[in-house]
Amino acid sequence: MFRPDQTHAKPTERIALLQVLIIALFVVIALRLWYFQIHKGEDFAQKAQANITKRQPVLAPRGLIRDRHKTILADNRPAYGLALIRENCPDIKTTLEQVSSWTGVPLSVLDQRFDHNRSQVQAFNPLLLVPNLSFEQLAYLEARIHEWPGLTIMTRPLRTYPYGPAVSHVLGYVGQADKEELRANPRLGMGDMIGKQGVEKAFEDVLHGQKGRKQQVVNAQGRTLRSQIIQPPKPGSDLDLSLDLPLQKFIWDKLGEHSGAALVMDPNSGQILSMVSKPGYNNNLFVQGLSPEKWKNLLRDPSLPLQNRVTQASYPPGSVFKLAIASCALARSDISPSTTFYCPGRYKLGNGVFRCWKREGHGRLNLQEAISQSCDVYFYNLGEQLGISRISQFALQSGFGQPTGINLPNESKGLIPDKEWKRRRFGQPWQGGETVITAIGQGYVTTTPLQLAHFVSALVNGGDLLRPQLELNASVEEQGSLPLHDKHRQFITQSMIHTVESKRGTARRLRMQNATIGAKTGTAQVVRLAEEHEDKDTEEIPYLLRDHAWMASFGSRGEDTYVVVVLVEHGGSGSSTAGPIVKDIYEHLFSADS
């Protein structure tokens, strides 16, 4: 008789086990369905939507920059760039090669931009490859870009400067934010344009707007079906400058082929009406993207076109510094305006002999005559009597040797030397001969054209050192006062007028009818000339050995008062080179007022 094996399960047990397995499988499937459709349903819905929807930032236009007459100095125009969304691109190498073929941008440049920027661009955000497409390139790409997944056209506002080099140093320029700037400012993204120099940099927070966002619906081939702004961009605020564009252009033209600086300042408010530095540069080139080769050429240019000579370059002031020395002598020593010294054409100190610019000498002069005729020997005497400590202290209190505080980047502070400075710099003691040449604006002392305008403005406005302003609606900001009694300040300004009005005054070419002009000329030695060049005319001396030509002045007619300072690099005599430019500026100013 057959007996079942006791070790095998009964059929009903096997069926029950199978049923348990089937039920467990359905439970697992149900749980997974619940997980995907309910628990994670919203997330996956968003990801599915992202397959047909793209979101891109919309860059905000920068605020306009205008002059005091509302003329636009910095504007915006629409520009188009070609960008790559890496996550949507199956073959980046081939795509970059195609972009190079389309645009003519070398593949090495595209590779460099991609490698440099990819760590800064978030996932699914566009990485800018070609910042500025021509209209021909744009039309060509629009017809073909849908065949290349990941490529997209970016529309963005592009900064434009309609007046070029004449206002380049004041305005500066914008460029793409670099890695350091991106790290320092979380609101910036790769490809954002920010101010790099000039007003654009100084007022970046005012001019920079807030980005918006747009949403694009695309088909499976990547072609855009519709686009919608979901968050509009907020433009930056406009900025009105105190600059007078017609005056700026006039002075630019009057400087001609000279390298140098000129500025016009309202002494009662500190507002800058004109700030010209020559040579200038085309700031539009920086917006469009400057090649490394062109950038190197600009940096190597011996004429230094990128330097704002009004604020960033410091020069020996020459005889215009005698205004500060005369002021110091009146304020800090026992001399009076009637104090006289005899000028035989030279001054002996120890074993050294220091010459006056007038070889035969000026004879006996009082202080006003010494200022108007710019007698070196008189100021050698004042320098020795004052000493370098009192000179440096007074100069620092009068605004020299430190930034004026104008709202422009990289302002030079110049140099007011003293005994401690020389010991730190050279490890040597100060010499008496260095004091007497400091008293005529030579030696180690250097100033910027803006510092001189700052000082002359204080002489004119009652003694207030006012912060120079480029913003039209900025309030007047007092920084301090000249350490000078009012009667002595008035004496200095009258001496400047005497320099123009007297027969022997070195600035007599500035005389004008119906206007009061005061001035001080300066001829600043760049290097000590060899004997072979000493008696030659300026044109016969090698350019880089020629003296700098200075003129610091003020002019008044009616209720209008201006301070004008002009520096001509290697221009020779301040009277003959800077003087005619200053005269033309006043004629323009007062003809515009009439």
Side-chain angles (χ1 to χ4, degrees), residues 186-473:
R187 76 177 184 181
L188 296 176
M190 185 57 62
D192 282 4
M193 305 295 281
I194 64 170
K196 297 285 189 173
Q197 279 295 340
V199 165
E200 291 279 26
K201 181 174 182 178
F203 292 90
E204 169 65 21
D205 291 341
V206 174
L207 296 167
H208 197 100
Q210 296 180 9
K211 294 179 193 174
R213 296 196 71 81
K214 70 177 179 180
Q215 182 171 282
Q216 292 177 312
V217 178
V218 299
N219 61 16
Q221 287 75 37
R223 185 184 293 273
T224 300
L225 300 178
R226 62 179 180 272
S227 180
Q228 178 185 11
I229 299 291
I230 57 176
Q231 180 184 338
K234 183 180 179 181
S237 299
D238 296 340
L239 178 66
D240 291 328
L241 300 182
S242 57
L243 217 65
D244 184 313
L245 180 62
L247 177 63
Q248 182 84 0
K249 293 165 66 177
F250 177 83
I251 297 176
W252 174 268
D253 291 338
K254 285 300 174 181
L255 276 173
E257 298 301 316
H258 293 298
S259 293
L263 73 154
V264 179
M265 186 173 178
D266 180 344
N268 296 310
S269 66
Q271 287 191 353
I272 303 294
L273 280 71
S274 178
M275 179 184 288
V276 173
S277 176
K278 204 165 188 179
Y281 58 92
N282 184 354
N283 36 14
N284 289 299
L285 295 177
F286 291 87
V287 180
Q288 297 166 4
L290 208 59
S291 68
E293 183 179 356
K294 289 183 178 179
W295 173 245
K296 287 179 182 178
N297 289 339
L298 279 173
L299 292 178
R300 293 170 180 169
D301 191 329
S303 68
L304 303 177
L306 297 179
Q307 185 180 60
N308 185 342
R309 285 163 162 81
V310 176
T311 61
Q312 296 175 341
S314 55
Y315 305 86
S319 291
V320 291
F321 197 62
K322 292 173 181 176
L323 296 174
I325 297 299
S327 299
C328 179
L330 291 171
R332 302 291 174 88
S333 74
D334 296 331
I335 79 157
S336 70
S338 61
T339 299
T340 63
F341 290 104
Y342 180 76
C343 171
R346 61 189 182 278
Y347 182 79
K348 189 173 182 181
L349 181 67
N351 295 325
V353 176
F354 300 86
R355 292 180 178 178
C356 185
W357 69 266
K358 190 174 183 179
R359 294 293 182 90
E360 65 273 23
H362 290 90
R364 185 161 292 278
L365 301 171
N366 61 28
L367 182 55
Q368 185 172 85
E369 292 168 335
I371 292 173
S372 64
Q373 297 179 43
S374 200
C375 175
D376 292 333
V377 170
Y378 193 101
F379 284 89
Y380 291 148
N381 278 279
L382 290 188
E384 185 180 9
Q385 182 171 327
L386 287 167
I388 191 59
S389 296
R390 287 200 287 181
I391 290 174
S392 61
Q393 183 184 35
F394 182 89
L396 290 170
Q397 291 175 340
S398 299
F400 294 102
Q402 55 196 308
T404 66
I406 190 171
N407 209 340
L408 285 177
N410 307 317
E411 183 185 5
S412 170
K413 64 180 182 179
L415 175 63
I416 298 298
D418 58 16
K419 296 177 181 179
E420 290 73 20
W421 172 84
K422 189 184 178 189
R423 192 171 297 279
R424 289 195 308 270
R425 178 68 177 80
F426 298 106
Q428 298 173 357
W430 187 266
Q431 303 296 323
E434 293 169 326
T435 301
V436 298
I437 62 172
T438 299
I440 63 165
Q442 295 290 166
Y444 301 119
V445 60
T446 61
T447 65
T448 67
L450 183 60
Q451 286 174 331
L452 281 169
H454 189 224
F455 175 70
V456 174
S457 292
L459 289 174
V460 173
N461 68 22
D464 295 326
L465 289 165
L466 304 181
R467 180 184 181 185
Q469 302 278 9
L470 277 167
E471 192 175 4
L472 181 61
N473 299 317

Side-chain angles (χ1 to χ4, degrees), residues 468-484:
Q469 302 278 9
L470 277 167
E471 192 175 4
L472 181 61
N473 299 317
S475 57
V476 177
E477 185 176 333
E478 292 187 15
Q479 300 170 312
S481 300
L482 290 179
L484 187 65

Side-chain angles (χ1 to χ4, degrees), residues 52 58 75 114 121 130 135 140 149 225 254 284 289 400 439 485 495 515 528 540:
I52 61 169
V58 180
D75 203 350
F114 179 82
V121 177
V130 183
F135 286 110
Y140 186 85
L225 300 178
K254 285 300 174 181
N284 289 299
F400 294 102
H485 194 282
S495 297
R528 184 166 184 173
E540 299 176 302

Side-chain angles (χ1 to χ4, degrees), residues 59-261:
L59 300 180
R62 291 177 72 82
L64 303 178
I65 302 176
R66 300 178 294 223
D67 84 334
R68 66 191 304 114
H69 306 297
K70 302 295 184 181
T71 302
I72 296 176
L73 305 177
D75 203 350
N76 303 298
R77 64 176 177 83
Y80 303 92
L82 183 60
L84 176 69
I85 299 176
R86 294 162 296 168
E87 290 74 16
N88 295 339
C89 181
D91 189 342
I92 290 176
K93 182 177 183 299
T94 303
T95 301
L96 293 180
E97 291 173 350
Q98 185 61 56
V99 171
S100 177
S101 174
W102 280 338
T103 63
V105 178
L107 181 59
S108 60
V109 174
L110 295 175
D111 285 334
Q112 183 180 12
R113 288 176 183 171
F114 179 82
D115 292 337
H116 182 265
N117 296 337
R118 62 180 176 179
S119 62
Q120 306 295 323
V121 177
Q122 295 180 357
F124 293 98
N125 279 352
L127 185 155
L128 192 62
L129 295 174
V130 183
N132 298 302
L133 297 171
S134 67
F135 286 110
E136 293 78 10
Q137 289 174 327
L138 178 64
Y140 186 85
L141 290 173
E142 286 282 14
R144 293 164 177 80
I145 197 171
H146 66 276
E147 300 173 358
W148 291 83
L151 289 179
T152 184
I153 301 293
M154 287 184 67
T155 304
R156 60 197 187 104
L158 186 71
R159 202 58 151 174
T160 180
Y161 305 100
Y163 297 102
V167 288
S168 57
H169 289 103
V170 180
L171 299 181
Y173 56 87
V174 298
Q176 287 192 40
D178 58 31
K179 288 184 177 180
E180 291 184 6
E181 292 161 336
L182 290 171
R183 282 195 293 266
N185 191 343
R187 76 177 184 181
L188 296 176
M190 185 57 62
D192 282 4
M193 305 295 281
I194 64 170
K196 297 285 189 173
Q197 279 295 340
V199 165
E200 291 279 26
K201 181 174 182 178
F203 292 90
E204 169 65 21
D205 291 341
V206 174
L207 296 167
H208 197 100
Q210 296 180 9
K211 294 179 193 174
R213 296 196 71 81
K214 70 177 179 180
Q215 182 171 282
Q216 292 177 312
V217 178
V218 299
N219 61 16
Q221 287 75 37
R223 185 184 293 273
T224 300
L225 300 178
R226 62 179 180 272
S227 180
Q228 178 185 11
I229 299 291
I230 57 176
Q231 180 184 338
K234 183 180 179 181
S237 299
D238 296 340
L239 178 66
D240 291 328
L241 300 182
S242 57
L243 217 65
D244 184 313
L245 180 62
L247 177 63
Q248 182 84 0
K249 293 165 66 177
F250 177 83
I251 297 176
W252 174 268
D253 291 338
K254 285 300 174 181
L255 276 173
E257 298 301 316
H258 293 298
S259 293

Side-chain angles (χ1 to χ4, degrees), residues 528-537 540-542 545:
R528 184 166 184 173
L529 292 176
E531 229 177 276
E532 59 182 300
H533 297 308
E534 282 190 352
D535 297 320
K536 289 183 178 180
D537 293 334
E540 299 176 302
I541 300 173
L545 302 183

